Amino acid sequence: MSAFVFRTSFAAILLSSAPPLWAQEPTGDAPAAIPAPVGGAERYTPADFTRFAPRTALDMVEKVPGFLIVTGTNGGDRGLGQATENVLINGERIASKTTDARTALSRITATQVAYIDIVDGASLNVPGLTGQVANVVLVAGAGASDGLKTTIRWQPEWRPRIEDNWLNGEISTTGKLDGTQVTLSLKNEANRSGHWGPERRFDGNGNLLFIRDEFGAYDGDRPRLSAALARTTANGNKWNVNLGGQLQNLREHVSGTSVQPAFGRVSEDFRFTEDEYNFDIGGDYELGLGKGRLKLISLYRFEHSPFVDSFIVDREVGGRSGERFSQTADESESILRGEYSWRTAGGTDWQIALEGAYNTLDVDAEFAKLQPDGSFLPVAFGGERTKVEEKRSEASLTWGRALAPNLTAQLNLAAEYSELTSSGPGGLTRSFIRPKGKFALAWKVGPKTTINWFVQRRVDQLNFFDFASSVDVANGQGNGGNGQLVPPIVNRSELEFVQDMGRWGHASVAFAYGYAQDLVDQIPLSPTTEGRGNLPGAHLYRVTTKGTLLLDPLGWKGARINADVTWRRNRVRDPLTDQWRDQSFGQDYVADLSLRHDIPGSNIAWGGGYFDERFSPGLRLDAIEKEYTVGPFVTAFVEHKNIAGFTVKLSYRNLAGMKDGFDRSVFVDRRDGPIAFSESRQRKFGQYFQLTVTGTL
């Protein structure tokens, strides 16, 4: 039985911001006069969102025509580095690895938002930002006199044949206590999902051997308690403190039954459990120094994550067999970063940044086989203990200015030093010095047309778990650890055209190309083993189009269509055949379309969505695996914007009956030889209801 792998991808996103970071800090308790937009920014005020009856800043930003919101926490990588999300709050990036833009905005009430500016990232003194960026500016003194505000989001789901999900949601309270902004939050990203259906196994000639009936259930609870403190002192200095702790309890169970010619009735049982805890504490302090501002940032994060995989087979003829793989991983990250920014009299923005980080991964693993007495006996597999350490430092210089009234530029030059030590298979100590950087232009061709362009050399980070050996007990596969891995480098360029269509909406299209060195994929480690390793040079292509079409000019008042479509190809050299192919499990395309109609003169809105994506096959040296969906994911919803002061949205999901598909061909030896057997499955998960309740107290 093939283990279930679930992938969800979210399309990347655009948003915007304002001039120097310190220029947007509100002072005093009375709302200040709203300044005029700077540098051709598009300005959205609360009045522009009245018909949507927004409860939070997130509700408002989501309704800005032409883009979605970037998710993730500074790229999800180790270290802080440059900004990667396209949302700023009061002109400042969200310098946290545990709070992404969407989460931060959901904790700000709509009444606290003064306005939202959409500007070009290249015009900002925030390294890393390109394209459109949203700067959410809060009302001056927000929270100082109106007490504590509590925001609630509750999102239960009811699925067929699956346990009901009542525990997904968040409650957060924010306000000022004695001049200090305080935010407390309890959030649980709970999931209850599953699917069921037949899996067919064929021999090497394509003849059906048997059909296995399967059922999979996947449950998770991730309660996180966090606190954030922020204060601006009388002399204009600012400090922030963030801390949080989380438990993650994950459970997966896939069972299958079949009648096989040689074994009679066969029952198979795969189980996965993980009980993780993690915590983090971080903060920053910003002060005036000389002609600029100095910001000091620190962070410490720790994660303890033990998991156990087991796969047991009961045969009517042949008895019971089974395997178990368990692993306990301790990860830690320590970061210190300093940024000094200033603006010259001539209008040039400068920033110097230094960052140091120390990262560790300590893995203890065990592979064991089931014994006749029901116990598991450990078996040596060569990856029982792996420790990875990285000492990394980075220095960068950023320059930005207007080259003409309608043309702004930003140049970032940087270099990083990394010392990487691994004690697993093939482990050794190595050091790297890698230059990187980015040059971006934003050209306002006309009042409604903008062209954004950048060229970048990016140094990606390695997954430390690729240094450790692992065993996939459900599929009978394994990966050897690879101590020879080097970080990938991507040299890329992107050209984006952005068009404001006035009363018709907003649209953009972007073309990107990248040349990647040392991408990580499956490679041979020896004549008989394989694992994660580096590939020769690869070519990356992407076309993305996004837009919002407002239907009011057609007479359909209050209706809009959002579209986000991406096509990509990542072409790599196959390490086995030396032929060009798509990168394993690379995204081929994603199409995300939605319709929303806010009925004028009422509190009712309705609409629907269409989502579809495809991935290229995943290639091991002895197998080809393809994950796919059968049909698109279609939803419909109805929303009431004021039920006892709450917005209530009921969604009916998977109307088109999408199924999860997985095909696998396993070869006798390598995949350039004969096929030993193949499997094909399609599991359905039915239609289901989701309720979303949001509001403030």
Side-chain angles (χ1 to χ4, degrees), residues 60 245 499 591 623:
M60 301 169 78
Q499 182 67 40

Side-chain angles (χ1 to χ4, degrees), residues 391-559:
K391 300 173 183 176
R392 188 174 57 82
S393 58
E394 176 184 304
S396 66
L397 173 66
T398 302
W399 166 93
R401 67 166 294 119
L403 303 180
N406 64 340
L407 180 65
T408 57
Q410 184 187 95
L411 174 66
N412 175 263
L413 299 175
E416 72 171 49
Y417 168 81
S418 174
E419 181 182 278
L420 198 58
T421 301
S422 64
S423 66
L428 42 79
T429 298
R430 296 160 299 150
S431 60
F432 307 94
I433 298 178
R434 296 181 179 258
K436 56 185 180 179
K438 187 175 187 178
F439 178 66
L441 290 173
W443 179 24
K444 198 77 173 178
V445 180
K448 295 181 179 296
T449 304
T450 301
I451 297 177
N452 297 307
W453 173 79
F454 73 80
V455 60
Q456 178 187 37
R457 177 182 168 91
R458 188 184 75 205
V459 180
D460 288 345
Q461 296 184 4
L462 293 170
N463 182 346
F464 282 179
F465 285 95
D466 290 341
F467 289 87
S469 299
S470 62
V471 179
D472 180 351
V473 295
N475 286 325
Q477 301 170 333
N479 275 352
N482 184 1
Q484 307 292 327
L485 286 161
V486 300
I489 295 176
V490 180
N491 305 285
R492 64 181 185 136
S493 181
E494 179 175 311
L495 180 65
E496 180 187 40
F497 300 88
V498 182
Q499 182 67 40
D500 180 357
M501 300 184 296
R503 64 194 188 113
W504 288 95
H506 198 282
S508 67
V509 59
F511 305 90
Y513 168 75
Y515 178 73
Q517 302 166 261
D518 297 317
L519 283 183
V520 176
D521 208 322
Q522 207 75 5
I523 70 166
L525 300 179
S526 76
T528 58
T529 62
E530 62 180 290
R532 307 294 286 171
N534 297 109
L535 296 180
H539 301 278
L540 317 179
Y541 308 90
R542 175 172 56 83
V543 179
T544 299
T545 179
K546 303 172 185 176
T548 298
L549 177 63
L550 304 178
L551 302 179
D552 296 65
L554 297 177
W556 194 359
K557 302 297 183 182

Side-chain angles (χ1 to χ4, degrees), residues 46-47 56 97 111 113 320 341 439 564 574 669:
T56 66
K97 294 175 68 67
T111 57
V113 177
R320 166 178 281 202
S341 305
F439 178 66
D564 184 0
D574 190 287
D669 184 19

